[in-house]
Amino acid sequence: MNLMIKREGEDILESERFRKCEGIVHHKGTNVARHSMEVTEYALNLYEKGHYPDTDVRDLVRACLLHDIGMSDGDVRDSVSFLKAYSHPRRSAEIAREEFGANAVQVNAILYHMWPICVIPPSSHIGWLLLRADKHCAWGDVAGVIKGATAFFRKE
Ligand SMILES: [Fe+2]
Ligand SMILES: [Fe+2]
């Protein structure tokens, strides 16, 4: 694990809420906690390569770890996929603010991480970094599922 994740997000990782996310299936082949860790690692990797040098690492780590935490809410989890895409950023932002003291930058990044499915894009570069990392990891998960599901049709 990247040490910056432990330093800036240890309270999140050790929370009951985040642990609950280990049991919530996400993108078919992973779970919310693992996906959130991968998004955080990937975003930090981009930052360490010199993308977005003015980044506040604490804001980045916390927004990434919490961006899908709303999936731990029963109402969000049990709704149909289409609606979940719209409801989980809002619930994630509420939980981030109420249970983890998220500031305005973190809340904005979480709230708009589903752009362009949701109409409004994030307003900070931390939001764009989260969005970029989330799309990268989500597509990787989905590609893995599709590859597995279609293996029968390929001659490998
Ligand atoms: Fe999400
Ligand atoms: Fe995500």
Side-chain angles (χ1 to χ4, degrees), residues 52-76:
Y52 310 99
D54 297 331
T55 296
D56 182 310
V57 172
R58 184 171 176 81
D59 281 347
L60 180 63
V61 166
R62 296 184 77 81
C64 287
L65 287 177
L66 295 169
H67 79 283
D68 281 336
I69 199 107
M71 295 286 192
S72 62
D73 183 292
D75 288 344
V76 172

Side-chain angles (χ1 to χ4, degrees), residues 26-27 32 35-36 39 64 67-68 71 88 113-114 130 133-135 137-138 141:
H26 201 40
H27 304 146
V32 172
H35 163 73
S36 301
V39 168
C64 287
H67 79 283
D68 281 336
M71 295 286 192
H88 84 272
H113 80 267
M114 288 301 284
L130 163 58
D134 186 43
K135 297 287 180 285
C137 295
D141 295 339

Side-chain angles (χ1 to χ4, degrees), residues 34-156:
R34 193 193 309 154
H35 163 73
S36 301
M37 280 294 289
E38 286 171 358
V39 168
T40 312
E41 297 265 9
Y42 188 80
L44 281 173
N45 200 266
L46 289 174
Y47 163 71
E48 285 170 341
K49 282 181 176 163
H51 298 263
Y52 310 99
D54 297 331
T55 296
D56 182 310
V57 172
R58 184 171 176 81
D59 281 347
L60 180 63
V61 166
R62 296 184 77 81
C64 287
L65 287 177
L66 295 169
H67 79 283
D68 281 336
I69 199 107
M71 295 286 192
S72 62
D73 183 292
D75 288 344
V76 172
R77 202 172 54 245
D78 298 338
S79 65
V80 292
S81 300
F82 175 74
L83 292 176
K84 215 180 285 185
Y86 294 93
S87 59
H88 84 272
R90 185 165 295 277
R91 189 66 190 115
S92 297
E94 283 170 3
I95 293 170
R97 192 170 37 220
E98 290 164 11
E99 297 181 22
F100 299 98
N103 62 25
V105 171
Q106 295 164 27
V107 167
N108 181 280
I110 293 167
L111 209 44
Y112 302 117
H113 80 267
M114 288 301 284
W115 185 85
I117 291 174
C118 299
V119 183
I120 304 171
S123 63
S124 68
H125 70 261
I126 282 173
W128 284 99
L129 205 37
L130 163 58
L131 196 149
R132 188 172 160 185
D134 186 43
K135 297 287 180 285
H136 172 87
C137 295
W139 275 109
D141 295 339
V142 172
V145 171
I146 292 171
K147 192 175 176 210
T150 57
F152 177 77
F153 299 104
R154 291 191 304 271
K155 290 181 181 174
E156 292 179 340

